[in-house]
Amino acid sequence: MTIADDIKMAPAAPKTPAKGVTPKAALYAVLSAVMAVFCIVPFILVIVISFGRKVDGAGWVWAFTFDNYQRFFVGILWPDEVTFLYLQQLGYSFYFAIIASVLAVLTALPFTLLLTRLKRRTQAIWLVFILASLSMSEVFIVMGWDILLSNNSGLPKLFQVTGLTQWLKDVGWFQILREMGLANPRNVKFKPSEFATILTMSYLVWPYAVILLYPALSRLDPSLSEAARTMGAGRWTITRTVTLPSIRLPLMGTTLLLFVFLLGSYVSISVFATPDKQTTAVAIYSNIRGSNLDAPFGSAQAVILLISASVCLYFGHLLNSKAEAR
Amino acid sequence: MPDLILSGVSKSFGSTRAVDATDLTFAQGQLTALLGPSGCGKTTLLRMIAGLEDPTRGTIRLGDEDITGLPAHKRKFGMVFQSFALFPHYSVRENVAYSLIIGGMAKPEALDKAQTLLDTVQLSKFGDRRIGELSGGQRQRVAIARALAQEPQVFLLDEPMSALDAKLREEMQVELRLLQQRLGITTIVVTHDQREAMTMADTIVVMSNGRVEQVAPPKEIYHKPANAFVADFIGKANFFDGVYRKDGVEIGEQAVHVPANFAAGSPVRLAIRPESACLVTEPGQNCIDAQISFVRDLGPVREYHLRTDIGPLIVEYAGTDGMERVAGDKTLVHLPVEALRVYPRAVA
């Protein structure tokens, strides 16, 4: 028998089965379509509309113009006049989001550190309570704070009734509160104010800060701070040289996440911020759903806010990478 | 440097007593090993000495100075942790210089001194590395150098070898002992490894259930264990339960001659090290009939597992002359009087 005979006698290679649509592939296709329709298409629509044109006294029409972006950066009167109203709003978005996120992280950090030192059972109870507080909507929380800080039924009333207002006047601190915009000639006044805005925004994201910091802090090796203690470090030195550097990455990550989340904060700003300190998120709503009916400009503002958040995330990522590389 | 003296030091966590009232003196310049099984209270005792735990009762003195309430960061005791507890965000040199920098020394000077210490622990080329880039043995050396940087009055080590593999552990035991002898620092090492304690320590403190069972030099701990626990924990031992009769212990039908200070009729436990018993051919005092059930050749020694009238018994033999027996052989086992230990036995 020759090799040629062997080849002839060898069984034919099995035919490749025809490629049909498997149920798994069909499921992937449906899921992809759903994702595209509900996530990507609206996003693309916003970008496309941002190049549209507003029709005076009516809605808007499809177009391809950079007027909305130009208006955002130099104002509607350009080139006759340059105004930075919308950039200022973006600035306030950053201002409130940065302060509120940093405040939330700074207050959540010692709380979470203490939480990790409690017994497991107590920790679990606290975590369940904090997780439960996440279920409350922004509207509900802001409503609560609105009542708490309102001039007629909230803390200012309590200050007046208990004589705290008079005491503040007597010791001279009332004038300081007035200069800070937290009092009128008769009583303390917490809203509208930056104080109330930042406080509410911090309160909103505080549970997120605890939940995000908890895993990193609970993994923190207690022997690190004990080692520092045996080497002569006091409490503050340990915090500064051991604890904070050890959790630098989760700390930065949490702050960045809360910051991006707060950039889009709407209810707290519209309720507590003064009209001259409204943010881009509020302006977007006014343009798209409010009285202006200027969807193209609202969309352009939304795109710019998104790009700003992405740039911040990118720089945060860069910082993290550098820190990790070190 | 003065002695470190513990007087009636005890520690309770809630209703759990971790360390019973303990009196110990750690002599200046000596290396003492706190040895015992897991949960015996040795680490708690070390942490109280370091100031990381407050004693429930008792006082800790360094010479004449009472340091019981002195916080850890004011004691100036260097400590090496079981996990080494090196700071991952600092380089090796910065880790070693940590205590100097926070103590107020100028950074360049502190880093120079850290480099000298790294030379001492043979890591001179590793100063710029991150902790994650070091092996277990190198990390341990860094931890030692870091603890020594502040020129501690007392050097504490909590299971410093437990994270190392067996071979490296043996090398590091010798290295650490040589370093301690060179520096002459009062050193306390916590370990559950009796071999480690025997290798390094001038004095061993054997602990069990929060109590100190025996304090003695390694040789004495091995050859004259104070009780059955120490005899069992340090090295290997054969134990036989019996009743003390005049000049000996009665185990079943068999009497073993061994004078001890017990009242006749007392329940006792007899102990003998495997290497102290020997197989013989001629009958004599304390020679018992035995049958070899199993033979194990361990290289340096051969181990004979025997069935005897007083119970199973293991004999270790290190020689090579004419003593080779096989399983099933009948023989005599000799229990020399001087090698036998008699301990009181609690009756349930």
Side-chain angles (χ1 to χ4, degrees), chain A residues 213-280:
Chain A
L213 288 173
Y214 178 77
L217 293 183
S218 59
R219 279 198 304 269
L220 203 61
D221 183 359
S223 65
L224 290 181
S225 52
E226 285 180 348
R229 277 172 72 191
T230 61
M231 285 186 281
R235 197 179 294 269
W236 169 238
T237 309
I238 293 169
T239 308
R240 190 172 50 83
T241 59
V242 179
T243 312
L244 287 178
S246 300
I247 55 163
R248 186 179 47 206
L249 292 182
L251 214 56
M252 280 174 68
T254 304
T255 312
L256 209 61
L257 205 71
L258 299 187
F259 162 72
V260 170
F261 180 82
L262 287 173
L263 267 184
S265 187
Y266 171 78
V267 187
S268 326
I269 306 280
S270 52
V271 171
F272 293 116
T274 50
D276 61 321
K277 288 178 181 169
Q278 296 292 306
T279 61
T280 303

Side-chain angles (χ1 to χ4, degrees), chain B residues 121-123 136-146 172 175:
Chain B
V121 294
Q122 296 160 29
L123 283 177
Q138 288 164 342
R139 285 180 198 202
Q140 195 212 32
R141 286 163 201 243
V142 176
I144 290 170
R146 188 179 70 170
M172 289 306 294
E175 252 184 68

Side-chain angles (χ1 to χ4, degrees), chain A residues 33-56:
Chain A
V34 169
M35 284 286 288
V37 171
F38 292 106
C39 298
I40 300 170
V41 170
F43 181 65
I44 291 171
L45 271 175
V46 170
I47 295 174
V48 171
I49 293 170
S50 72
F51 295 103
R53 201 174 61 240
K54 162 90 174 124
V55 178
D56 286 337

Side-chain angles (χ1 to χ4, degrees), chain A:
Chain A
M1 192 180 272
T2 63
I3 293 169
D5 293 335
D6 281 348
I7 292 168
K8 277 178 195 167
M9 286 172 73
K15 284 182 182 173
T16 313
K19 278 185 181 174
V21 179
T22 63
K24 199 175 173 184
L27 183 68
Y28 279 134
V30 171
L31 286 175
S32 304
V34 169
M35 284 286 288
V37 171
F38 292 106
C39 298
I40 300 170
V41 170
F43 181 65
I44 291 171
L45 271 175
V46 170
I47 295 174
V48 171
I49 293 170
S50 72
F51 295 103
R53 201 174 61 240
K54 162 90 174 124
V55 178
D56 286 337
W60 57 275
V61 291
W62 299 102
F64 186 75
T65 170
F66 287 97
D67 287 354
N68 298 313
Y69 289 95
Q70 181 188 296
R71 180 182 167 193
F72 185 90
F73 289 105
V74 288
I76 200 164
L77 302 172
W78 191 83
D80 300 329
E81 196 180 323
V82 178
T83 54
F84 298 116
L85 173 68
Y86 306 110
L87 273 177
Q88 194 186 35
Q89 285 174 342
L90 185 66
Y92 277 120
S93 294
F94 274 74
Y95 173 75
F96 285 128
I98 288 171
I99 296 178
S101 55
V102 169
L103 186 68
V105 170
L106 284 182
T107 50
L109 179 65
F111 172 82
T112 317
L113 261 176
L114 285 174
L115 182 67
T116 56
R117 286 169 195 169
L118 296 175
K119 286 179 186 167
R120 279 276 162 202
R121 192 179 151 76
T122 320
Q123 283 186 36
I125 293 169
W126 269 106
L127 286 173
V128 168
F129 176 70
I130 289 163
L131 280 169
S133 73
L134 291 177
S135 63
M136 289 194 288
S137 73
E138 186 183 358
V139 177
F140 185 82
I141 291 169
V142 170
M143 197 175 77
W145 278 93
D146 191 23
I147 296 166
L148 186 69
L149 301 178
S150 69
N151 295 334
N152 295 327
S153 55
L155 282 177
K157 189 78 179 170
L158 190 72
F159 269 58
Q160 201 163 37
V161 171
T162 56
L164 209 56
T165 303
Q166 191 54 48
W167 179 78
L168 285 170
K169 284 178 180 172
D170 294 343
V171 295
W173 291 353
F174 192 79
Q175 190 54 34
I176 299 169
L177 287 175
R178 279 203 72 184
E179 283 161 15
M180 290 168 69
L182 292 174
N184 57 33
R186 281 165 294 153
N187 194 11
V188 290
K189 171 185 77 80
F190 294 122
K191 69 171 208 140
S193 68
E194 281 183 30
F195 168 76
T197 313
I198 290 166
L199 197 67
T200 317
M201 287 171 78
S202 293
Y203 179 85
L204 266 176
V205 292
W206 196 83
Y208 291 100
V210 173
I211 298 295
L212 289 168
L213 288 173
Y214 178 77
L217 293 183
S218 59
R219 279 198 304 269
L220 203 61
D221 183 359
S223 65
L224 290 181
S225 52
E226 285 180 348
R229 277 172 72 191
T230 61
M231 285 186 281
R235 197 179 294 269
W236 169 238
T237 309
I238 293 169
T239 308
R240 190 172 50 83
T241 59
V242 179
T243 312
L244 287 178
S246 300
I247 55 163
R248 186 179 47 206
L249 292 182
L251 214 56
M252 280 174 68
T254 304
T255 312
L256 209 61
L257 205 71
L258 299 187
F259 162 72
V260 170
F261 180 82
L262 287 173
L263 267 184
S265 187
Y266 171 78
V267 187
S268 326
I269 306 280
S270 52
V271 171
F272 293 116
T274 50
D276 61 321
K277 288 178 181 169
Q278 296 292 306
T279 61
T280 303
V282 178
I284 292 169
Y285 182 82
S286 309
N287 280 312
I288 294 178
R289 302 290 304 163
S291 54
N292 298 353
L293 279 179
D294 191 351
F297 184 56
S299 300
Q301 285 178 304
V303 171
I304 289 169
L305 190 64
L306 182 78
I307 291 170
S308 307
S310 306
V311 168
C312 289
L313 282 174
Y314 177 71
F315 278 116
H317 173 71
L318 272 187
L319 279 173
N320 277 357
S321 305
K322 276 190 179 175
E324 269 183 289
R326 274 191 65 217

Side-chain angles (χ1 to χ4, degrees), chain B residues 225-259:
Chain B
N227 54 41
F229 172 82
V230 178
D232 190 26
F233 191 74
I234 306 288
K236 287 187 275 188
N238 296 291
F239 290 100
F240 310 98
D241 289 347
V243 177
Y244 196 78
R245 303 288 177 208
K246 190 170 183 289
D247 289 342
V249 177
E250 192 177 272
I251 306 159
E253 300 287 303
Q254 188 78 43
V256 178
H257 174 73
V258 49

